Amino acid sequence: MAALTAGCSRSEAAGAPDGAGLYAAACAKCHGAAGEGGSALWDGGPAPPSFREAGPLRGKSDADVVATVRAGKGVGMPAFGGTLRDEQITAVVRYARTLDKNQGKTP
Protein backbone atom coordinates (compact mmCIF):
# COMPACT_ATOMS: atom_id res chain seq x y z
CA MET A 1 0.00 0.00 0.00
CA ALA A 2 2.87 2.40 0.66
CA ALA A 3 3.67 2.37 -3.05
CA LEU A 4 0.20 3.73 -3.80
CA THR A 5 0.76 6.77 -1.61
CA ALA A 6 4.36 7.32 -2.72
CA GLY A 7 4.90 10.80 -4.08
CA CYS A 8 2.15 12.28 -1.91
CA SER A 9 3.28 14.70 0.73
CA ARG A 10 1.54 16.91 3.25
CA SER A 11 3.95 19.73 2.39
CA GLU A 12 3.52 19.70 -1.40
CA ALA A 13 0.46 21.90 -1.72
CA ALA A 14 0.39 25.47 -0.49
CA GLY A 15 -2.62 27.78 -0.65
CA ALA A 16 -5.90 26.56 -2.08
CA PRO A 17 -5.72 22.85 -2.89
CA ASP A 18 -5.86 21.87 -6.57
CA GLY A 19 -8.32 18.98 -6.66
CA ALA A 20 -7.48 18.02 -10.25
CA GLY A 21 -3.74 18.04 -9.62
CA LEU A 22 -4.06 16.08 -6.39
CA TYR A 23 -6.36 13.57 -8.12
CA ALA A 24 -3.79 13.13 -10.90
CA ALA A 25 -1.01 12.56 -8.36
CA ALA A 26 -2.82 10.41 -5.82
CA CYS A 27 -5.88 8.78 -7.44
CA ALA A 28 -5.45 8.47 -11.20
CA LYS A 29 -3.01 5.57 -11.04
CA CYS A 30 -5.85 3.38 -9.71
CA HIS A 31 -9.09 5.15 -10.68
CA GLY A 32 -7.89 6.34 -14.11
CA ALA A 33 -7.05 9.84 -15.33
CA ALA A 34 -10.66 10.45 -16.39
CA GLY A 35 -12.18 8.44 -13.52
CA GLU A 36 -12.78 5.41 -15.73
CA GLY A 37 -11.76 2.92 -13.03
CA GLY A 38 -9.06 0.34 -13.28
CA SER A 39 -8.15 -3.29 -13.42
CA ALA A 40 -7.88 -5.48 -10.37
CA LEU A 41 -4.80 -4.57 -8.39
CA TRP A 42 -3.85 -8.27 -8.14
CA ASP A 43 -5.34 -11.59 -9.28
CA GLY A 44 -8.70 -11.91 -7.59
CA GLY A 45 -8.33 -8.50 -5.98
CA PRO A 46 -10.74 -5.59 -6.12
CA ALA A 47 -10.88 -3.29 -9.12
CA PRO A 48 -10.98 0.44 -8.36
CA PRO A 49 -14.44 1.72 -9.31
CA SER A 50 -15.24 4.06 -12.17
CA PHE A 51 -16.41 7.51 -11.20
CA ARG A 52 -17.77 8.01 -14.75
CA GLU A 53 -20.39 5.30 -15.16
CA ALA A 54 -21.26 3.60 -11.90
CA GLY A 55 -21.52 6.76 -9.85
CA PRO A 56 -20.08 5.22 -6.64
CA LEU A 57 -20.05 8.68 -5.05
CA ARG A 58 -23.75 9.31 -5.65
CA GLY A 59 -25.83 9.15 -2.53
CA LYS A 60 -22.81 9.65 -0.29
CA SER A 61 -22.09 12.89 1.47
CA ASP A 62 -18.77 14.67 1.01
CA ALA A 63 -18.05 13.89 4.67
CA ASP A 64 -18.56 10.15 4.06
CA VAL A 65 -16.28 10.13 1.01
CA VAL A 66 -13.65 12.26 2.78
CA ALA A 67 -13.68 9.76 5.66
CA THR A 68 -13.13 6.88 3.21
CA VAL A 69 -10.25 8.64 1.47
CA ARG A 70 -8.73 9.56 4.85
CA ALA A 71 -9.00 6.05 6.36
CA GLY A 72 -8.84 3.86 3.25
CA LYS A 73 -11.20 1.02 2.43
CA GLY A 74 -10.51 -2.66 2.82
CA VAL A 75 -7.35 -4.05 1.27
CA GLY A 76 -7.72 -2.26 -2.06
CA MET A 77 -7.67 1.43 -1.15
CA PRO A 78 -4.91 2.87 1.01
CA ALA A 79 -5.49 5.55 3.60
CA PHE A 80 -4.45 9.02 2.46
CA GLY A 81 -5.00 10.72 5.83
CA GLY A 82 -1.28 10.54 6.55
CA THR A 83 -0.25 12.11 3.25
CA LEU A 84 -3.01 14.60 2.39
CA ARG A 85 -4.49 17.29 4.61
CA ASP A 86 -8.27 17.35 5.10
CA GLU A 87 -8.69 20.35 2.79
CA GLN A 88 -6.72 18.51 0.09
CA ILE A 89 -8.88 15.41 0.49
CA THR A 90 -12.00 17.58 0.24
CA ALA A 91 -10.66 19.15 -2.98
CA VAL A 92 -10.01 15.67 -4.44
CA VAL A 93 -13.53 14.53 -3.53
CA ARG A 94 -15.08 17.59 -5.16
CA TYR A 95 -13.01 17.03 -8.29
CA ALA A 96 -13.85 13.30 -8.42
CA ARG A 97 -17.56 14.21 -8.36
CA THR A 98 -17.07 16.25 -11.56
CA LEU A 99 -15.92 13.10 -13.39
CA ASP A 100 -19.41 11.56 -13.21
CA LYS A 101 -20.70 12.18 -16.71
CA ASN A 102 -24.26 11.70 -15.46
CA GLN A 103 -23.88 14.14 -12.59
CA GLY A 104 -27.04 16.11 -11.98
CA LYS A 105 -29.14 13.96 -14.34
CA THR A 106 -32.14 12.08 -13.03
CA PRO A 107 -31.99 8.31 -13.54
Side-chain angles (χ1 to χ4, degrees):
M1 291 295 167
L4 293 176
T5 58
C8 298
S9 169
R10 284 185 175 263
S11 62
E12 283 180 9
D18 171 21
L22 289 164
Y23 178 92
C27 310
K29 63 182 115 188
C30 294
H31 290 282
E36 67 273 15
S39 300
L41 302 174
W42 59 86
D43 283 344
S50 166
F51 296 134
R52 306 230 354 115
E53 301 290 338
L57 304 179
R58 285 188 218 152
K60 295 181 182 164
S61 70
D62 282 356
D64 288 342
V65 180
V66 165
T68 299
V69 174
R70 184 184 305 121
K73 185 174 181 181
V75 296
M77 181 169 165
F80 285 91
T83 54
L84 297 175
R85 298 184 317 267
D86 283 348
E87 59 269 19
Q88 291 174 307
I89 294 172
T90 299
V92 167
V93 168
R94 288 183 180 152
Y95 175 75
R97 288 191 186 280
T98 71
L99 300 175
D100 182 349
K101 68 181 186 178
N102 292 312
Q103 181 183 25
K105 295 180 183 174
T106 55

